[in-house]
Amino acid sequence: MAAKKRSARAKMPKAPQKTSEQDPLSWLYTNPQGSSDGFTFGVLRKTFRGRENSAHEFGWRKCHVGAHNYVNDRSRWSPNVEKVEVILPPRADDLLSDPDVLLRQADEFVSPIETGLLTYVSLPLGDVDRLHTGWERARSYAVSLANSRKVASVVILHSPGVIGAPYPLHAHLCIVPKVLTGLGLRHGAYDQELLRDGGQEILRELWDAHLDTCQ
């Protein structure tokens, strides 16, 4: 059976050239290999273009969209997107299934000699005609990363049409780039490949292979 259509020309926002408090995508180092089809790779660094970043702030903003949501108070976790879920490796502590807890620990236990806080991926879903189909495609991709690379991800489904934005259905993964075992994030080693330019090709190839299974 033929593989699903890749949505090769799906229209997605372009990465900005300077940081903006209204646009968390501008806080990322993105697409070192280029991108034209809606698949976006990025790394959230501690500091980028002079801006001090945090994993929790970035993840919170991707889960709370709208101009009224770029606020300093992130104590309340009440997402207004279509779906949000943390996908954990098998040996991870269940407490990390709360995105608020996971992202706070990503900041707390970052190494002083590592610049990367999160690995970020946007997944184009414009070819699906049901929300649950797109969600399961993105979620199962995160499950495959949890099983193969032992990393946790916050999976976020965005439907821009809800607010009248001219972009197709898509999902985001905020991947905590540490190998997560029963020892927890504090003692986890970094998956260095996901923090380097080559991470784009790795995650893209895994996405393409995953699409071949989504019949």
Side-chain angles (χ1 to χ4, degrees), residues 2 51 59 76 101-103 111 116 125 155 158 189 199 204:
R51 189 186 194 280
R76 181 180 179 185
V101 174
L102 176 66
L103 294 170
S111 167
L125 301 170
V155 189
H158 280 186
R204 179 56 194 259

Side-chain angles (χ1 to χ4, degrees), residues 51-90:
R51 189 186 194 280
E52 298 293 325
N53 293 317
S54 88
H56 187 270
E57 180 185 18
F58 181 83
W60 192 95
R61 287 286 301 279
K62 298 305 289 185
C63 292
H64 301 77
V65 297
H68 60 290
N69 275 318
Y70 56 94
V71 296
N72 292 324
D73 181 13
R74 301 190 307 276
S75 59
R76 181 180 179 185
W77 193 276
S78 183
N80 64 349
V81 294
E82 298 306 310
K83 286 181 178 289
V84 177
E85 184 179 351
V86 172
I87 301 299
L88 296 173

